[in-house]
């Protein structure tokens, strides 16, 4: 009467991965992401970025083999929106104008630099994923995900844009998908130059 229950095995695998210290999770995942994460990203100065990137998905995967699809957008030279993301972009006729204006705002904002620039100070100051219910110190001279959200809400209010309609095309342009960590965690991970370039590229 024995039964091989693959669903339970996957759940057990996910539970094991969720319990790993972040250093161990990054080290375990490294062989699986070799094709989507540049070798330079494993230089010690980028350890904080990898911690934040992997941490955003540690609660979202059951198998290490899921990580390449999850992390590819962070280090890709560019992203091509999938079908769901394309619908979000095409479903808002004014999205191009929003993305253009938002890109200009971000270009003047105190976002961390983009990989491969050294952004260790930013990733040591801000740990991801953001926990909305947990109070956190906001470092001076650097926009945290919480502050990025406040900035975006003010941007939308000034232009009469519904925030819920704004975030979907922005996420689609930045990540190429409709799923993943919080939008402003994604924005923080990408850094200023990459985020601005992706928004402009979609326009």
């Amino acid at each position: 009467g024995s039964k091989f229950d693959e669903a339970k095995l996957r759940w057990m695998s996910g539970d094991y991965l969720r319990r790993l210290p972040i250093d161990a999770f990054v080290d375990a995942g490294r062989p699986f992401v070799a094709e989507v994460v540049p070798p330079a990203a494993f230089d010690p100065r980028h350890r904080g970025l990898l911690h934040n990137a992997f941490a955003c998905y540690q609660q979202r995967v059951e198998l290490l083999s899921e990580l390449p699809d999850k992390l590819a957008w962070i280090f890709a030279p560019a992203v091509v929106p999938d079908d769901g993301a394309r619908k979000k972009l095409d479903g808002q006729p004014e999205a191009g104008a929003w993305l253009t204006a938002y890109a200009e705002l971000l270009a003047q904002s105190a976002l961390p630099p983009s990989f491969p620039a050294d952004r260790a100070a930013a990733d040591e100051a801000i740990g991801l994923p953001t926990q909305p219910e947990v109070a956190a110190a906001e470092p001076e001279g650097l926009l945290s995900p919480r502050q990025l959200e406040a900035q975006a809400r003010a941007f939308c209010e000034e232009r009469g844009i519904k925030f819920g309609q704004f975030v979907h095309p922005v996420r689609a342009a930045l990540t190429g998908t409709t799923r993943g960590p919080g939008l402003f965690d994604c924005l923080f991970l990408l850094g200023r130059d990459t985020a601005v370039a992706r928004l402009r590229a979609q326009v």
Side-chain angles (χ1 to χ4, degrees), residues 144-166:
S144 69
R146 286 186 174 91
Q147 291 169 324
L148 286 166
E149 179 176 354
Q151 180 192 60
R153 288 184 180 278
F155 172 89
C156 290
E157 186 174 350
E158 290 171 4
R159 290 160 178 77
I161 305 168
K162 292 183 179 180
F163 186 70
Q165 295 177 334
F166 171 77

Side-chain angles (χ1 to χ4, degrees), residues 92-108:
Q92 296 292 343
E94 299 178 352
W98 300 348
L99 298 182
T100 298
Y102 190 47
E104 294 307 312
L105 174 63
L106 293 179
Q108 306 302 319

Side-chain angles (χ1 to χ4, degrees), residues 78-124:
V79 293
V80 177
D82 60 23
D83 290 344
R86 176 52 57 194
K87 288 179 181 178
K88 295 297 184 183
L89 287 162
D90 294 344
Q92 296 292 343
E94 299 178 352
W98 300 348
L99 298 182
T100 298
Y102 190 47
E104 294 307 312
L105 174 63
L106 293 179
Q108 306 302 319
S109 298
L111 271 164
S114 299
F115 176 84
D118 187 348
R119 45 175 288 151
D123 289 306
E124 289 171 5

Side-chain angles (χ1 to χ4, degrees), residues 160-203:
I161 305 168
K162 292 183 179 180
F163 186 70
Q165 295 177 334
F166 171 77
V167 297
H168 296 300
V170 173
R171 174 189 286 280
L174 292 177
T175 70
T177 185
T178 58
R179 299 174 300 278
L183 170 62
F184 300 101
D185 285 2
C186 294
L187 188 53
F188 187 88
L189 282 172
L190 287 176
R192 183 175 58 230
D193 291 345
T194 298
V196 169
R198 289 191 184 178
L199 291 172
R200 290 173 174 167
Q202 283 306 318
V203 176

Side-chain angles (χ1 to χ4, degrees), residues 3-176:
K3 177 184 177 182
F4 181 79
D5 190 335
E6 185 175 347
K8 179 177 260 187
L9 186 62
R10 291 178 65 96
W11 177 88
M12 290 177 66
S13 174
D15 185 60
Y16 173 78
L17 294 179
R18 288 188 289 273
R19 294 171 186 266
L20 286 177
I22 187 61
D23 276 317
F25 183 55
V26 172
D27 289 342
R30 179 173 182 172
F32 292 83
V33 301
E35 292 187 4
V36 299
V37 178
F42 289 94
D43 185 281
R45 68 193 178 111
H46 297 303
R47 193 69 174 176
L49 172 61
L50 285 182
H51 278 194
N52 276 338
F54 274 74
C56 282
Y57 289 101
Q58 190 168 7
Q59 302 299 315
R60 296 170 177 264
V61 298
E62 293 181 325
L63 303 172
L64 292 169
S65 57
E66 297 172 36
L67 286 172
D69 285 343
K70 304 294 187 185
L71 296 175
W73 65 270
I74 300 173
F75 299 97
V79 293
V80 177
D82 60 23
D83 290 344
R86 176 52 57 194
K87 288 179 181 178
K88 295 297 184 183
L89 287 162
D90 294 344
Q92 296 292 343
E94 299 178 352
W98 300 348
L99 298 182
T100 298
Y102 190 47
E104 294 307 312
L105 174 63
L106 293 179
Q108 306 302 319
S109 298
L111 271 164
S114 299
F115 176 84
D118 187 348
R119 45 175 288 151
D123 289 306
E124 289 171 5
I126 301 290
L128 302 180
T130 300
Q131 305 294 334
E133 69 280 2
V134 177
E138 304 290 359
E140 293 185 9
L142 175 69
L143 286 177
S144 69
R146 286 186 174 91
Q147 291 169 324
L148 286 166
E149 179 176 354
Q151 180 192 60
R153 288 184 180 278
F155 172 89
C156 290
E157 186 174 350
E158 290 171 4
R159 290 160 178 77
I161 305 168
K162 292 183 179 180
F163 186 70
Q165 295 177 334
F166 171 77
V167 297
H168 296 300
V170 173
R171 174 189 286 280
L174 292 177
T175 70

